[in-house]
Amino acid sequence: MTNTIDLIEGLTISTPVSNLDTSIAWYEDILGFKLLYRVDEIAWCEMSTSVSNVNLGLSEVEKPTPGGATPTFGVSDINAAKSSLEAKGVRIDGDIMVIDQMVSLLTFYDPDNNALMFYQEPDKND
């Protein structure tokens, strides 16, 4: 059986937020995302990430319900990333979880309690 879905190289992750202004500022300041466009009539914006062809869509809703998909971004130094989050007062869910010879993970939250994660692959030279 042939796959009939022809996916392109692109992904937009949609996340519910309670306030576009607050969330745009948070994602710019904490993760360095850049606002691509904003449509106030539908309370929506998209932000570019540092990952090629991956954008974050923010949808302003009356009562955001955190959960669902968790955007997980790769970083080159997860300890430095954690320190940066801590310096900016971002809520972090515990310590870095290390799964030997596989991955290190860190969960943190935006102002609406949407979970995000960083991952770091192990050094292949170890």
Side-chain angles (χ1 to χ4, degrees):
M1 180 175 237
T2 306
N3 184 358
T4 59
I5 299 173
D6 185 23
L7 297 177
I8 62 169
E9 290 186 20
L11 176 67
T12 299
I13 301 164
S14 177
T15 301
V17 299
S18 59
N19 183 285
L20 276 181
D21 292 325
T22 300
S23 295
I24 289 167
W26 190 89
Y27 280 95
E28 287 175 334
D29 181 48
I30 301 300
L31 297 177
F33 294 178
K34 305 240 183 296
L35 182 65
L36 293 171
Y37 68 90
R38 178 176 176 157
V39 183
D40 287 323
E41 294 79 23
I42 59 171
W44 172 263
C45 75
E46 281 195 34
M47 304 188 77
S48 65
T49 71
S50 60
V51 180
S52 180
N53 297 318
V54 175
N55 294 337
L56 179 69
L58 302 177
S59 175
E60 186 175 291
V61 297
E62 193 170 311
K63 291 186 179 182
T65 304
T70 302
T72 306
F73 297 94
V75 295
S76 59
D77 184 338
I78 200 163
N79 290 301
K82 182 180 182 197
S83 293
S84 177
L85 294 177
E86 289 171 335
K88 294 183 178 189
V90 175
R91 185 166 73 91
I92 297 172
D93 188 10
D95 293 325
I96 296 169
M97 180 190 337
V98 177
I99 302 169
D100 276 344
Q101 300 179 15
M102 183 186 261
V103 70
S104 295
L105 300 166
L106 178 67
T107 302
F108 60 100
Y109 301 91
D110 78 0
D112 290 296
N113 287 319
N114 291 301
L116 298 103
M117 293 178 79
F118 287 143
Y119 76 87
Q120 180 182 342
E121 294 179 349
D123 186 356
K124 303 297 183 196
N125 297 322
D126 287 347

